[in-house]
Amino acid sequence: VRFVFINEQESRMAALLNGEAQIIDEISVADIDALTEDPAYNVFLSPRVGINRGHTINASLSPTDDILVRKALIHAVDKEAINQAVFRGHYPIAYQTLTRGVRFYNDAVEDVYPYDPELAVQLLEEAGWTEINDEGYRVKDGEVLSVNHATWVSAVSEPPALIIQSMLRDIGVKMDIEFPGNYTATVNSGDSPYNTALLAVYSPDPGVLLYRSFHSSGMGSTNIAHYSSPEIDALLEAGLETPDAA
């Protein structure tokens, strides 16, 4: 068995079609449909497990340091519409931080943040963002409600960001999209200028995964949400210390 690393998706697909490769991964959604319809190929969909790939919100940077604003952003995004428009329904939708299939996944909280743009508007007004300027963006104390989003260049990252940008505009939020270099270090740093960033962390171990990603000891390095809570810290620590009864 020989493994060859081909970074470009088009080159991987070409290697499969011309017989240079017998198995490839990370194919585009368009190629999924084409290969599924071709009896010469078998397509296996294997979702990754860990923390969902999605727009992680920075809880330490204004205006997303306000929980009402964070909740509004989540309620304003129609995940199903994005899945159909960009991924043709092939990608599993993220309903919470962890992916389905991870141990201790709790499906009881899947409906905590449904798509509800009217509720999003209500939350923003409750947070004091009641004025609307000539461009249709919300304003408070002379400041436009604006979020900076970090992502990278790819067919699975840019299109969703553009759709979300449009959805946020509908509730009066301005979203700027940037493509920073040294990506992970930049968005995780303590002085990150980004309110949201496309991130994902994959591991079958939810205890270690959640601890590294949300414990306050990881602020400025691995804490992807820039979130600090003594209560959450205690729960994460207890999760690592509690033995498996099985």
Side-chain angles (χ1 to χ4, degrees):
V1 177
R2 185 168 67 97
F3 290 88
V4 178
F5 296 92
I6 304 175
N7 292 328
E8 296 77 18
Q9 189 279 326
E10 294 83 0
S11 299
R12 288 196 301 274
M13 188 66 178
L16 178 70
L17 296 177
N18 64 28
E20 294 178 9
Q22 286 70 51
I23 301 173
I24 63 171
D25 64 0
E26 295 290 334
I27 61 178
S28 70
V29 291
D31 290 333
I32 290 176
D33 291 335
L35 293 175
T36 300
E37 296 171 0
D38 191 330
Y41 300 99
N42 291 317
V43 177
F44 301 95
L45 301 179
S46 180
R48 294 174 176 175
V49 294
I51 290 179
N52 280 298
R53 180 170 60 194
H55 289 198
T56 302
I57 303 176
N58 187 335
S60 297
L61 181 66
S62 179
T64 49
D65 56 346
D66 186 334
I67 192 172
L68 295 175
V69 173
R70 297 200 298 274
K71 287 182 176 181
L73 298 184
I74 299 172
H75 283 298
V77 175
D78 187 344
K79 296 185 288 291
E80 178 60 39
I82 294 173
N83 192 28
Q84 294 299 326
V86 180
F87 304 114
R88 303 187 183 184
H90 291 301
Y91 280 41
I93 293 176
Y95 292 100
Q96 54 181 278
T97 299
L98 295 174
T99 62
R100 287 178 172 175
V102 173
R103 193 180 185 192
F104 306 125
Y105 179 88
N106 184 4
D107 57 11
V109 299
E110 287 189 351
D111 297 324
V112 172
Y113 292 106
Y115 171 58
D116 191 338
E118 293 183 0
L119 177 57
V121 168
Q122 178 182 325
L123 290 167
L124 291 178
E125 292 186 346
E126 185 179 343
W129 299 94
T130 55
E131 298 179 40
I132 306 292
N133 67 12
D134 293 339
E135 297 179 279
Y137 295 121
R138 295 183 176 274
V139 177
K140 181 171 68 172
D141 300 329
E143 179 184 353
V144 173
L145 180 52
S146 176
V147 296
N148 295 323
H149 175 66
T151 189
W152 56 83
V153 178
S154 84
V156 299
S157 59
E158 292 177 83
L162 292 171
I163 295 175
I164 291 174
Q165 183 183 55
S166 176
M167 292 175 176
L168 294 187
R169 182 180 177 84
D170 288 342
I171 64 168
V173 179
K174 184 176 185 290
M175 174 177 165
D176 296 317
I177 302 173
E178 299 182 15
F179 306 91
N182 195 16
Y183 187 86
T184 302
T186 299
V187 300
N188 284 354
S189 67
D191 58 351
S192 171
Y194 299 105
N195 299 99
T196 60
L198 182 63
L199 290 168
V201 185
Y202 300 116
S203 168
D205 187 336
V208 172
L209 193 64
L210 293 173
Y211 183 92
R212 285 178 51 82
S213 300
F214 297 105
H215 195 277
S216 62
S217 63
M219 292 287 283
S221 57
T222 61
N223 187 317
I224 60 177
H226 302 269
Y227 180 75
S228 177
S229 164
E231 181 181 2
I232 295 299
D233 283 354
L235 291 170
L236 293 171
E237 291 161 9
L240 290 181
E241 295 169 357
T242 304
D244 188 342

